[in-house]
Amino acid sequence: MAIGQPANRVDAVAKVTGRARYTDDFYRPDMLIAKYFRSTIAHGRVISIDVSKAKALNGVEAVFTYEDVPKIKYATAGHPYALDRSRADVADTLLLDRQIRYMGDEIAIVVAVDDLTASEALELIEVEYESYSPLISPEQVLSKGAREIHPGQSNVIGEHQFECGDLEQGFSQAEVVHEGQYETHMLQHVHIENHTAFAYMNDLEHIVIISSTQIPHIARRIVGEALDIPWGRVRVVKPYIGGGFGAKQDVILEPILAFLTMQLDGRPVKISMTREECMLCTRNRHPMTATVKIGTLKDGTMVARHMDTLFSTGAYASHGHSIAAASGSKNTLLYPRTAIGYHARTIYNNIPIAGAMRAYGSPQVVFALESAVDDTARKIGIDPVEFRIQNGARQNDLNPLNQKPIQSCGLVECLEKGRELIGWQEKMSQRRQQTGNIRKGLGVACFSYGTGTYPMNVEIAGARIILNQDGSVHVQTGATEIGQGSDTVVAQMVSQTMGLPMENIHIVSTQDTDVTPFDPGAYASRQAYIVGNAVYKAASELREKILTYAAEMTDKSVSDLEIEGRNIVLVDQPGKAIISLIDLALDTYYHTDRGGQLTADVSHKTLANPATFGCTFVDITVDISLCRIRINEIFNVHDSGVILNHSTAKGQVEGGMAMGIGAALSEQVLIDPESGKVNNNNMLDYKVPTMIDLPDIGCAFVETVEPTSAYGNKSLGEPPVISPPPAIRNALLDATGVAINEIPLAPQVLFRHFKQAGLI
Amino acid sequence: MNQNITLTVNGREKTLNIDVRSSLLEVLRDQLGLTSIKQGCGVGECGACTVIIDDDIIDSCIYLAVWADGKSVRTLEGESKNAVLSTVQKGYVDEGAVQCGFCTPGLIMTTTSFVEKNRGKEISHEEIRKAHAGNTCRCTGYQTILTVAGKCLEPGKEPDE
Ligand code: FES
Ligand code: FES
């Protein structure tokens, strides 16, 4: 049946013909264009602002400053509403603000008839600042007497620690202890469609917002919160979107657009960010520093590990401390049979805002952990793959955080498969002492990750399936297609459970909060798992209704009937139609005395969060004098439970690995340490890998069956990005003996370390 | 300042009155509604706006519309004919080379031009990679796109009508 098939994407034809419509494709000639006036200093306060010249410019409809907007602070994070308000996201954002917290902060906004006029008007705004010295590095932020970036609020916005098992005893038992410092820098999502949205009013009350968002239902709530209007007055529509990777899991443009259209008599107003603006003023991946300590016995048994991390969220909290917290929890399952300690802090600084980015902090934490694991393996002289197999999670191990058994786990099998794919043992046995300029290295790294956010947040999903007059069905979910292939696997699920052919399943791709069943949206690799449970319930319900109706029409008993393709058949006589679905459907709609439209409309909460596992194996060549790493071969192997669609799954893994390779080798947002200015917020200077920068990418799956999922699947969207960087770092260590504890491993970084190590 | 230009777009001749400052991207999207053409940067970095002019691919965001006067432009809208996908389009579908789809129009135009120019030649993976290096895709890792381009050049694949 449909699950497990490499079915073509349901949106592929719309996309290859250019007919799929994205936010900017809903062009209206009367649309007004809004542009932010942004700060040119990183830390300070506006003393005065004069917008009169801008207002007077022909074609300018309005200019608003921090003085004109509601004094309501709101949180932008794409999390479900927290019933326990003490756990609500940090509300620290105003629509426009006179306090300046990073270079690019939003002070005023211009609305004009077109883009050019709006840009011209920005030039006419005069502003006077009082400027404070920017707090960029963690040392500056944490120094005694440092100014509060959000006055009245500590610069440490979150801190927590936990311990599983007896850490002290673990370390005292350890025969070998490794301790190291690791660092990752700021990264940018670089989704190809920049943030863009527009808003208008349908009448005098309702605001419609078309937005490139991953989280339409959350966006609606946050607009309501930011403007203090009833949430039901806001309608958010999400068409196709050109990638998000977490950057569109924050509510950035929607509140101000709702405000603007309300101020401008309901006229359509649009903000389309430029690439430079999008890279500077939306969200980034948190820079992180970590101290990792691992204690082992000489035989390779890990007995204790502790991590201390510091995440920089930048100018605003966005997801607050959640990212440091989630990533600390998710890695505990990787080596669960050991005492574990974790301490984390998240701080504000005067740099661009960090938020969710693919794998939510895990790439940073796992880079530190998996580098330290390799360092430890070397110290005790054990093969790093063996060391991981020896200590890695196995099925029925207890989850250290809740003491419940891990119900599906293929980590060891992933490691064994990856080792074989790369030819680890063979290559290692042929390895001679390397001394020349060109050296080869092999590296490995693993990860564990979650599926969704339970129990920190509710995990709710809605699905609605309607039997059409022609015997086909329409399916609506609140789960959002953002490129990952959500719509396609939903169709496969319906096909699997209802017995319908894929051609007879129509997916409504657009989410519209006025009509779409509730679901918070695309994040935490939750959707195929959480929505799967809702779709299963809805599909089973509708199937039951159809069979009951068929029984009534044919005078058979329900249990004797089955849906088979376009027909109803007897269970014991497959292939022989007793009534077609079309005839049945027509009867439900048009029979004068019986029936009615058959639908199933389900909202389902999932109360589990299964762990996923996997690893990267990489074979590299290092050119020492050129300070360059070339990847010869790279493989990811994933345990994501049952693979719903091998084609889209492979696509997710390859894309995630490419992003991981970029993070490992070339990507970094470069921030001037004095002024806080970002120097490379464009696609020329920020090095996203192009086709020529990447090697052939390989992947494989170890399929387990996750019992809490209706279809056996677990998370897959984010995990592929996690383990390539530490694997590459470990391969570099294998090749050169130089342990570089930061990424990216770009030539200038390699040069510094090779020089220090006396290699050049 | 406005000016009239005459160009062929997807096989049809058009005369347009345009602001001389506008890019080809703006004119094709806003005046002709050819919204397959995407803007990812507007300054020639990402390739999302790639179209074919005469026989070459260009970034339409940094190509002035006036330069297209007298030329022939191909966009993704013109690639499928009579409800049949071109070989390259079909390749993108079958290989799963589409995810969010935002880079896809530009990439398909690049692959199309590459395949048309290299039919019958021995082409290495390196050459395919180089030819596509002007189009950034953040979703796929390009592996599937490499496969599509390779398969479209396999002997036996006939050019589209
Ligand atoms: S939009 Fe033209 S190259 Fe990016
Ligand atoms: S498919 Fe999303 S950028 Fe290429």
Side-chain angles (χ1 to χ4, degrees):
Chain A
M1 286 299 284
I3 294 293
Q5 303 287 312
N8 281 344
R9 295 178 65 104
V10 296
D11 55 7
V13 171
K15 288 174 175 175
V16 301
T17 52
R19 295 176 192 175
R21 294 178 89 197
Y22 299 74
T23 299
D24 278 351
D25 303 337
F26 295 85
Y27 173 74
R28 285 177 59 162
D30 60 340
M31 205 157 336
L32 299 171
I33 302 296
K35 275 189 182 294
Y36 279 111
F37 178 76
R38 299 180 176 282
S39 75
T40 51
I41 61 168
H43 196 190
R45 184 173 168 275
V46 176
I47 300 174
S48 68
I49 184 162
D50 181 357
V51 298
S52 55
K53 284 188 196 139
K55 271 187 176 161
L57 185 71
N58 205 0
V60 170
E61 296 285 324
V63 182
F64 300 92
T65 73
Y66 53 84
E67 279 166 2
D68 307 313
V69 296
K71 302 284 170 275
I72 302 170
K73 289 203 169 169
Y74 61 97
T76 62
H79 290 147
Y81 181 82
L83 275 185
D84 172 0
R85 296 312 285 156
S86 70
R87 286 195 39 238
D89 289 305
V90 183
D92 63 1
T93 303
L94 291 167
L95 288 179
L96 300 166
D97 204 339
R98 76 182 309 167
Q99 296 290 339
I100 292 155
R101 302 182 172 95
Y102 77 104
M103 197 179 290
D105 218 342
E106 290 135 10
I107 299 168
I109 195 156
V110 164
V111 187
V113 290
D114 58 29
D115 202 273
L116 221 50
T117 312
S119 301
E120 265 177 71
L122 291 181
E123 305 284 321
L124 300 173
I125 295 178
E126 285 159 22
V127 66
E128 208 185 320
Y129 300 117
E130 175 188 356
S131 119
Y132 316 137
S133 65
L135 305 171
I136 313 285
S137 68
E139 296 72 42
Q140 289 169 327
V141 173
L142 297 171
S143 69
K144 239 186 140 176
R147 183 184 282 275
E148 285 171 345
I149 292 172
H150 290 260
Q153 226 174 307
S154 163
N155 283 340
V156 179
I157 64 164
E159 177 165 13
H160 83 298
Q161 57 186 353
F162 65 78
E163 213 177 297
C164 308
D166 190 334
L167 202 61
E168 208 184 302
Q169 198 211 323
F171 277 116
S172 66
Q173 196 192 334
E175 293 164 339
V176 180
V177 175
H178 166 77
E179 189 169 334
Q181 264 89 41
Y182 304 87
E183 184 173 11
T184 66
H185 300 288
M186 183 183 282
L187 300 177
Q188 229 285 327
H189 308 70
V190 200
H191 39 291
I192 304 299
E193 181 199 32
N194 292 306
H195 283 60
T196 180
F198 64 93
Y200 58 91
M201 292 183 76
N202 252 352
D203 48 28
L204 297 180
E205 197 185 338
H206 294 95
I207 301 150
V208 185
I209 305 167
I210 318 295
S211 178
S212 176
T213 177
Q214 299 174 216
I215 47 165
H217 275 105
I218 291 177
R220 170 209 209 176
R221 183 198 91 228
I222 292 178
V223 170
E225 288 173 343
L227 301 177
D228 193 23
I229 55 175
W231 306 352
R233 280 179 59 193
V234 182
R235 172 179 167 204
V236 178
V237 180
K238 175 226 154 263
Y240 283 115
I241 87 167
F245 310 112
K248 295 173 183 168
Q249 194 204 332
D250 257 51
V251 176
I252 296 171
L253 298 177
E254 296 87 348
I256 187 84
L257 284 167
F259 169 79
L260 293 175
T261 189
M262 284 165 79
Q263 295 293 315
L264 294 164
D265 228 359
R267 294 170 71 188
V269 187
K270 172 164 140 168
I271 302 178
S272 280
M273 284 190 160
T274 62
R275 172 59 59 187
E276 293 73 17
E277 199 178 15
C278 188
M279 290 181 76
L280 184 69
C281 310
T282 58
R283 299 294 178 262
N284 293 284
R285 189 185 289 292
H286 295 68
M288 182 219 64
T289 55
T291 304
V292 186
K293 196 172 156 190
I294 298 178
T296 54
L297 304 182
K298 285 205 183 103
D299 70 359
T301 311
M302 195 188 286
V303 287
R305 70 174 199 270
H306 184 268
M307 263 199 268
D308 193 344
T309 63
L310 181 71
F311 282 73
S312 292
T313 189
Y316 294 89
S318 175
H319 285 241
H321 190 56
S322 306
I323 289 174
S327 52
S329 301
K330 288 177 191 176
N331 80 76
T332 56
L333 288 107
L334 188 49
Y335 307 111
R337 300 179 303 276
T338 172
I340 301 165
Y342 184 72
H343 171 239
R345 284 170 298 166
T346 303
I347 58 169
Y348 281 129
N349 14 17
N350 296 122
I351 58 176
I353 307 152
M357 182 169 166
R358 199 173 196 165
Y360 213 66
S362 284
Q364 296 97 306
V365 168
V366 171
F367 173 74
L369 175 63
E370 283 296 282
S371 298
V373 163
D374 245 56
D375 295 343
T376 306
R378 283 175 80 86
K379 220 171 199 168
I380 45 180
I382 292 189
D383 174 87
V385 184
E386 281 303 332
F387 184 51
R388 288 174 169 89
I389 289 176
Q390 187 177 346
N391 293 291
R394 289 164 193 262
Q395 194 173 347
N396 292 324
D397 272 345
L398 295 185
N399 174 339
L401 295 170
N402 61 16
Q403 296 303 312
K404 287 190 189 148
I406 301 172
Q407 300 192 57
S408 61
C409 176
L411 175 62
V412 171
E413 294 81 352
C414 288
L415 281 162
E416 287 166 350
K417 198 168 204 168
R419 175 162 68 181
E420 210 177 294
L421 283 169
I422 204 106
W424 183 276
Q425 273 143 328
E426 207 181 304
K427 286 176 183 162
M428 280 298 185
S429 66
Q430 287 165 7
R431 176 69 62 71
R432 305 279 169 269
Q433 183 70 30
Q434 303 190 82
T435 48
N437 182 48
I438 306 291
R439 300 190 197 173
K440 297 253 230 176
L442 289 179
V444 59
C446 317
F447 70 85
S448 59
Y449 198 67
T451 309
T453 63
Y454 185 82
M456 295 311 290
N457 287 305
V458 66
E459 278 303 359
I460 180 172
R464 181 183 300 141
I465 314 179
I466 297 168
L467 180 67
N468 294 319
Q469 291 98 321
D470 65 355
S472 68
V473 295
H474 261 80
V475 185
Q476 266 189 311
T477 68
T480 55
E481 172 64 62
I482 65 166
Q484 81 285 49
S486 173
D487 286 351
T488 305
V489 295
V490 164
Q492 289 177 269
M493 290 167 184
V494 173
S495 170
Q496 173 87 16
T497 302
M498 292 193 67
L500 299 174
M502 288 288 276
E503 315 83 77
N504 272 12
I505 299 165
H506 307 288
I507 300 290
V508 181
S509 187
T510 299
Q511 276 71 36
D512 175 335
T513 54
D514 272 11
V515 288
T516 306
F518 184 85
D519 182 306
Y523 55 83
S525 302
R526 58 183 288 281
Q527 282 194 164
Y529 171 69
I530 307 288
V531 85
N533 288 340
V535 168
Y536 177 76
K537 218 167 147 180
S540 306
E541 230 175 69
L542 185 57
R543 176 181 167 276
E544 198 58 37
K545 285 186 185 172
I546 291 171
L547 293 180
T548 306
Y549 201 83
E552 195 186 324
M553 282 178 79
T554 59
D555 246 351
K556 299 269 185 312
S557 101
V558 178
S559 57
D560 290 341
L561 299 173
E562 189 53 278
I563 303 175
E564 192 187 81
R566 293 176 168 81
N567 297 306
I568 310 288
V569 298
L570 286 170
V571 177
D572 53 10
Q573 288 175 25
K576 223 177 119 214
I578 60 163
I579 182 173
S580 74
L581 263 176
I582 297 188
D583 289 340
L584 180 144
L586 286 170
D587 196 276
T588 64
Y589 279 90
Y590 301 114
H591 194 288
T592 50
D593 301 325
R594 69 177 177 206
Q597 189 180 38
L598 295 189
T599 65
D601 198 339
V602 153
S603 177
H604 181 78
K605 291 187 182 179
T606 294
L607 311 184
N609 183 345
T612 46
F613 301 91
C615 56
T616 301
F617 279 80
V618 65
D619 173 333
I620 64 165
T621 301
V622 187
D623 184 322
I624 292 179
S625 57
L626 281 181
C627 298
R628 274 196 186 284
I629 293 173
R630 208 190 62 212
I631 297 176
N632 305 313
E633 282 183 279
I634 185 162
F635 295 97
N636 262 27
V637 189
H638 288 262
D639 160 22
S640 285
V642 170
I643 297 303
L644 302 173
N645 180 326
H646 280 270
S647 169
T648 54
K650 183 172 153 281
Q652 284 300 290
V653 177
E654 290 167 357
M657 290 173 72
M659 206 180 249
I661 293 169
L665 297 181
S666 61
E667 293 181 35
Q668 180 181 357
V669 175
L670 298 166
I671 304 170
D672 183 275
E674 306 273 303
S675 66
K677 181 177 190 299
V678 169
N679 284 321
N680 62 342
N681 53 324
N682 61 69
M683 290 175 71
L684 263 192
D685 300 314
Y686 181 92
K687 299 294 182 190
V688 171
T690 69
M691 200 160 172
I692 204 149
D693 302 312
L694 287 172
D696 278 334
I697 293 173
C699 69
F701 299 100
V702 167
E703 293 196 52
T704 59
V705 179
E706 170 53 39
T708 62
S709 160
Y711 300 96
N713 58 306
K714 305 187 282 186
S715 68
L716 183 59
E718 298 166 288
V721 79
I722 302 174
S723 47
I728 295 168
R729 177 267 183 198
N730 293 338
L732 179 70
L733 172 62
D734 177 51
T736 62
V738 182
I740 301 186
N741 293 351
E742 61 177 311
I743 41 173
L745 301 164
Q748 67 273 20
V749 178
L750 264 52
F751 178 77
R752 186 158 34 87
H753 287 271
F754 286 172
K755 199 145 184 140
Q756 235 168 41
L759 285 183
I760 46 175
Chain B
M1 198 181 77
N2 276 30
Q3 186 181 315
N4 278 349
I5 58 168
T6 300
L7 69 170
T8 308
V9 181
N10 297 328
R12 291 197 185 90
E13 195 173 282
K14 304 267 176 195
T15 299
L16 302 169
N17 186 258
I18 59 157
D19 182 330
V20 293
R21 298 170 300 179
S22 43
S23 67
L24 184 60
L25 177 147
E26 287 164 332
V27 166
L28 294 179
R29 276 185 63 93
D30 298 348
Q31 291 193 35
L32 296 183
L34 298 172
T35 53
S36 79
I37 305 162
K38 300 297 184 226
Q39 175 160 334
C41 68
V43 290
E45 293 163 359
C46 74
C49 62
T50 306
V51 300
I52 301 177
I53 294 200
D54 292 341
D55 279 323
D56 288 317
I57 49 168
I58 58 106
D59 290 332
S60 62
C61 70
I62 48 168
Y63 190 95
L64 283 178
V66 289
W67 296 342
D69 194 16
K71 298 205 161 86
S72 171
V73 181
R74 279 166 70 187
T75 75
L76 187 58
E77 280 87 350
E79 291 303 294
S80 62
K81 301 206 171 69
N82 305 319
V84 178
L85 300 180
S86 74
T87 308
V88 174
Q89 284 175 313
K90 193 163 176 323
Y92 271 73
V93 175
D94 292 342
E95 289 306 319
V98 179
Q99 290 190 26
C100 80
F102 206 75
C103 68
T104 306
L107 264 161
I108 291 182
M109 297 321 283
T110 297
T111 308
T112 300
S113 158
F114 179 73
V115 167
E116 288 172 356
K117 285 184 178 171
N118 291 290
R119 200 172 293 289
K121 295 187 196 154
E122 277 284 312
I123 295 293
S124 70
H125 278 189
E126 237 12 64
E127 286 167 288
I128 297 176
R129 286 189 182 277
K130 210 179 235 170
H132 289 78
N135 293 77
T136 309
C137 171
R138 193 57 152 166
C139 297
T140 63
Y142 310 102
Q143 197 64 35
T144 43
I145 292 159
L146 182 79
T147 310
V148 175
K151 283 198 177 169
C152 288
L153 280 167
E154 275 170 12
K157 282 262 177 193
E158 290 307 312
D160 296 314
E161 276 307 290

